[in-house]
Each structure stands twice: as C-alpha cells, then as structure tokens.
Amino acid sequence: MRIQVMSVLVDDQARALAFYTEVLGFEMTRDEPAGEFRVLTVQSPEGGPELLLEPNAHPASQVYQEAIYRDGLPSTVFHVDDLDREYARLTALGVRFQVEPTRSEWGYDAVLDDTCGNLIALHED
C-alpha cells in the first residue's frame, strides 16, 4: 500500500494552482473538468504523491478548514532540504509566514499561508 493522491482543501482552485505551481514550484499533473469544479493535481518535480487541490464546496469542509486555520494548525506538511533557503526564497516572493523558522524537538519548521485558506508547514529534519 502507498499514498498516490492526497487532498488539500482550497477555497479557489485557480488561485491555488497559481500559488502551488508559480510560488511553491510544484508541477501540474492533472486538470480535468468535474462538474462546476476541476480534478486538479500538482506534484513535486522530484516525484512522490500528487496533491489534489480539492474545492471546499461541502459545508463540513468549510467549517473544518476555517477551524484549523483559525487555530493555527497546518493542514499539511511539506519536507524541504534547506528551510532557511526556502524561507528566504518564498519571503522574497511575498509569501506570508504565520510562524518563522523555529527549531524544536521535532526538527526545524516554519508555517506559511497558502492564500487559499490553509496553513502549510515546511519541515527540515
């Protein structure tokens, strides 16, 4: 068993696609119509699971997304090889960080706002 596709709820698929590809550097892997929305996935250029940019159209999804954002909880974690380099690159691109790079017993982490309703943690071992 392995993970092939994971979801992140987004409040705007077009804005999410721009952020995840143009800012974070992922590559679009699928864009197919699905009713009023799209099946829209991105993936790291290094491979790995696809990330489905899933519309938060269901009321329960909206409540969940808003609650974890308000409480400062990241919806997912992306591994980076050099957090300081990524933090500098993303800050220069105008990315807003909720938590600047911080060392803890779990590693080295920062938390950014993806502009689509989510906080995303960046983690360096």
Side-chain angles (χ1 to χ4, degrees), residues 23-98:
V23 177
L24 295 185
F26 290 102
E27 298 172 344
M28 184 176 63
T29 50
R30 189 173 0 173
D31 185 0
E32 301 169 8
E36 64 181 288
F37 301 108
R38 298 151 63 186
V39 174
L40 192 56
T41 62
V42 296
Q43 185 178 41
S44 168
E46 299 171 14
E50 290 179 278
L51 183 65
L52 174 64
L53 304 176
E54 186 168 350
N56 69 349
H58 191 281
S61 298
Q62 295 167 10
V63 170
Y64 170 76
Q65 185 182 32
E66 291 167 8
I68 65 170
Y69 184 93
R70 181 180 57 249
D71 289 348
L73 300 173
S75 61
T76 194
V77 179
F78 297 148
H79 180 270
V80 295
D81 292 325
D82 184 333
L83 182 58
D84 291 327
R85 183 181 67 224
E86 283 300 313
Y87 177 78
R89 180 183 77 82
L90 294 172
T91 300
L93 291 172
V95 173
R96 188 171 61 88
F97 279 80
Q98 294 283 92

Side-chain angles (χ1 to χ4, degrees), residues 4-22:
Q4 184 172 342
V5 179
M6 298 174 55
S7 298
V8 64
L9 297 169
V10 297
D11 57 16
D12 182 306
Q13 284 187 299
R15 188 171 64 242
L17 179 61
F19 183 82
Y20 282 79
T21 57
E22 297 169 16

